[in-house]
């Protein structure tokens, strides 16, 4: 398991009965988590004195209750700064478990000893984008949601990277990759965090189990002649990390060699010393 254990501004304090108690900077939040199915004592006072608790509705969706948290604030991860804005579907705009992937991508870029171009697909609010840009890479950030791309630009500015070589693209990721291939534009690294389910701008349906393999095949066509790495994340319940290994290895190794490893992403739990699983990632890298 790859554990994101270097946070100072984020802490997973406790988790129990389908919820987790987190510290985001100075704010204590309670959010649902489907992995925390155990019934352990909730001894931390934050369970009773949080700044906000997200409660799911029996009819779908949910809402923040007993909220005293600000509309936005910031947290830092090393030199990176992120704007936190709790949304009406439990998210805060940041997945702290991805810090393990940011660190790994940064290490690959710094060790390359050459200019590196990174394509970040389904790039959300730009955690990986700012991490790679801070390591010196030129990054192309692509997401279909205009609001998320704007949020990512704010994170880049907050991290002192407003002048970094980042292209900000609002587009369907598959269609963008197809156009980049036709244009002859190539990238040394690709990061992708596709959703389990979604709809494109013209109503096309995305289902990870059906679309992921052909999408990775498509993405392989936008890699440079000397690709550095491909990083694939998944939050789809029931999709084992070994599936990501098989997909990346079968698509990329025949073309580029290299090797693939996959594993769970996790966050340390202060109360228990255990690690909460938070999705999976597959990492292909050149030999």
């Amino acid at each position: 398991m790859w554990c994101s254990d270097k946070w100072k501004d984020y802490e997973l304090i406790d988790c129990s009965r389908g919820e987790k108690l987190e510290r985001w900077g100075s704010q204590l939040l309670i959010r649902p988590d489907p992995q925390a199915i155990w019934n352990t004592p909730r001894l931390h006072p934050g369970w009773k004195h949080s700044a906000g608790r997200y409660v799911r509705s029996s009819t779908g969706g949910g809402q923040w209750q007993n909220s005293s948290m600000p509309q936005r604030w910031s947290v830092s991860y090393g030199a990176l700064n992120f704007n936190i804005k709790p949304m009406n579907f439990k998210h805060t705009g940041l997945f702290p478990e991805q810090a393990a992937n940011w660190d790994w991508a940064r290490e690959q870029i710094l060790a390359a000893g050459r200019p590196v171009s990174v394509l970040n697909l389904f790039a959300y609010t730009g955690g990986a984008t700012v991490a790679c840009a801070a390591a010196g890479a030129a990054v192309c950030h692509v997401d279909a949601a205009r609001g998320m791309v704007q949020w990512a630009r704010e994170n880049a500015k907050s991290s002192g990277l407003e002048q970094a070589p980042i292209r900000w693209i609002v587009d369907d990721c598959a269609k963008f990759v197809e156009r980049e291939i036709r244009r002859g534009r190539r990238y040394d690294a690709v990061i992708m965090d596709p959703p389990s389910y979604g709809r494109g701008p013209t109503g096309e349906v995305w289902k990870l189990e059906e679309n992921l393999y052909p999408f990775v095949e498509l993405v392989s066509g936008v890699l440079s002649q000397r690709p550095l790495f491909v990083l694939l994340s998944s939050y789809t319940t029931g999709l084992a990390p070994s599936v990501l290994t098989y997909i990346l290895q079968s698509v990329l190794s025949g073309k580029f060699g290299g090797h693939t490893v996959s594993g769970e992403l996790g966050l340390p739990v202060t109360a228990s010393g255990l690690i909460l699983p938070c999705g999976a990632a597959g990492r292909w890298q050149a030999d």
Side-chain angles (χ1 to χ4, degrees):
M1 180 179 283
W2 294 313
C3 184
S4 296
D5 56 3
K6 297 181 177 66
W7 280 98
K8 304 297 183 186
D9 272 3
Y10 171 84
E11 179 186 5
L12 177 50
I13 299 170
D14 195 9
C15 47
S16 172
R17 304 176 213 164
E19 292 182 309
K20 55 189 175 185
L21 172 64
E22 306 165 289
R23 178 179 60 82
W24 295 82
S26 62
Q27 303 295 317
L28 295 184
L29 304 182
I30 299 173
R31 297 191 297 157
D33 194 292
Q35 299 286 351
I37 61 174
W38 43 86
N39 185 3
T40 50
R42 297 182 173 190
L43 302 179
H44 193 279
W47 285 110
K48 296 180 180 179
H49 303 287
S50 66
R53 182 183 210 139
Y54 188 89
V55 178
R56 293 194 183 279
S57 168
S58 59
T59 58
Q63 61 182 343
W64 291 96
Q65 294 183 353
N66 305 321
S67 177
S68 61
M69 58 188 171
Q71 290 187 335
R72 62 183 292 168
W73 67 97
S74 63
V75 299
S76 298
Y77 184 74
L80 308 179
N81 294 295
F82 300 103
N83 297 288
I84 303 303
K85 309 175 193 175
M87 294 176 276
N88 58 6
F89 46 97
K90 90 169 183 175
H91 294 309
T92 62
L94 194 67
F95 291 91
E97 65 274 10
Q98 285 290 336
N101 280 335
W102 305 339
D103 291 342
W104 179 81
R106 178 180 180 274
E107 291 169 3
Q108 309 312 306
I109 293 165
L110 292 174
R114 58 183 170 97
V116 174
S117 58
V118 177
L119 176 61
N120 188 11
L121 300 170
F122 309 98
Y124 195 50
T125 60
T129 294
V130 297
C132 291
V139 185
C140 181
H141 175 110
V142 186
D143 197 281
R146 186 174 300 277
M148 294 300 106
V149 175
Q150 178 57 37
W151 194 337
R153 293 179 73 117
E154 294 171 7
N155 285 335
K157 183 176 181 180
S158 296
S159 299
L161 296 166
E162 61 266 37
Q163 300 302 318
I166 304 173
R167 295 170 63 205
W168 303 103
I169 307 294
V170 180
D171 203 350
D172 175 83
C173 288
K175 292 180 179 178
F176 178 79
V177 171
E178 290 170 351
R179 285 197 296 273
E180 291 290 86
I181 292 172
R182 291 196 297 268
R183 294 171 184 139
R185 193 187 296 269
R186 299 294 181 263
Y187 298 87
D188 302 308
V190 176
I191 297 171
M192 43 189 158
D193 188 3
S196 299
Y197 178 86
R199 290 188 178 273
T202 57
E204 60 270 36
V205 175
W206 165 278
K207 291 183 179 180
L208 190 88
E209 297 90 336
E210 298 175 5
N211 296 108
L212 183 57
Y213 188 86
F215 185 77
V216 174
E217 284 187 309
L218 174 65
V219 165
S220 70
V222 82
L223 288 168
S224 65
Q225 292 183 342
R226 288 196 303 152
L228 189 61
F229 69 84
V230 174
L231 172 59
L232 172 61
S233 296
S234 170
Y235 287 91
T236 300
T237 303
L239 192 67
S242 56
V243 173
L244 304 183
T245 295
Y246 196 86
I247 291 173
L248 292 174
Q249 186 170 299
S250 59
V251 171
L252 299 174
S253 294
K255 290 184 177 183
F256 304 109
H259 63 281
T260 303
V261 293
S262 297
E264 287 184 302
L265 297 171
L267 289 167
V269 184
T270 303
S272 65
L274 301 179
I275 299 174
L276 179 70
C278 305
R283 300 169 176 177
W284 175 90
Q285 65 184 107
D287 292 326

